[in-house]
Amino acid sequence: MDKIPILRMGRLLLVTIQVDMHDRLAMALQDDLTQRIVKDRATGVLIDISALDIVDSFIGRMISNTAAMAKILDARTVVVGMQPAVAITLVELGLTLEGVSTALNVELGIKLLERGSLWS
């Protein structure tokens, strides 16, 4: 089974999704990421989805649920690199990704997490 790498950058975790997500891979990522938040005492999670051309309702809910779990574990989540077609699909599906902040790219996402103003 494929695994999506989770990189540590100081107190942040960076997840770059470079493969087509299927349900089993999404659930494995969710489990791995929550374990790493605790293990690394991460305060922020950056999920780069720039390589995803399509997101279905399950993947959208998984991202939202992962952000909710991260928040409970005292880490903030920013999704970066969302393609316009993905944003349109999420809106059409009625998925607001509550608790998930977004940024155009990794650099802006890191700045947003470092600023610490997401959960004011």
Side-chain angles (χ1 to χ4, degrees):
M1 181 168 89
D2 294 328
K3 285 197 112 169
I4 295 176
I6 301 170
L7 305 175
R8 182 176 178 203
M9 297 174 42
R11 299 290 304 261
L12 305 179
L13 297 177
L14 173 62
V15 178
T16 302
I17 301 172
Q18 297 289 326
V19 296
D20 287 331
M21 293 287 285
H22 51 79
D23 295 358
R24 187 173 291 161
L25 183 58
M27 294 305 295
L29 173 60
Q30 192 174 58
D31 291 341
D32 293 345
L33 188 55
T34 53
Q35 289 177 20
R36 285 290 301 274
I37 290 169
V38 173
K39 177 182 173 241
D40 295 337
R41 297 181 183 177
T43 59
V45 175
L46 191 77
I47 302 174
D48 181 0
I49 63 169
S50 58
L52 295 182
D53 294 325
I54 188 166
V55 172
D56 64 14
S57 61
F58 180 81
I59 302 302
R61 281 193 313 273
M62 185 277 305
I63 292 170
S64 184
N65 290 344
T66 300
M69 291 174 195
K71 183 178 179 184
I72 290 170
L73 296 171
D74 202 26
R76 295 167 288 139
T77 302
V78 175
V79 172
V80 300
M82 188 177 302
Q83 300 294 327
V86 171
I88 291 167
T89 301
L90 291 174
V91 169
E92 287 176 348
L93 292 171
L95 298 172
T96 59
L97 299 184
E98 189 172 328
V100 179
S101 294
T102 59
L104 291 176
N105 57 44
V106 172
E107 181 181 355
L108 294 172
I110 290 172
K111 286 181 182 177
L112 191 59
L113 285 169
E114 288 176 342
R115 201 169 50 223
S117 63
L118 298 177
W119 303 114
S120 303

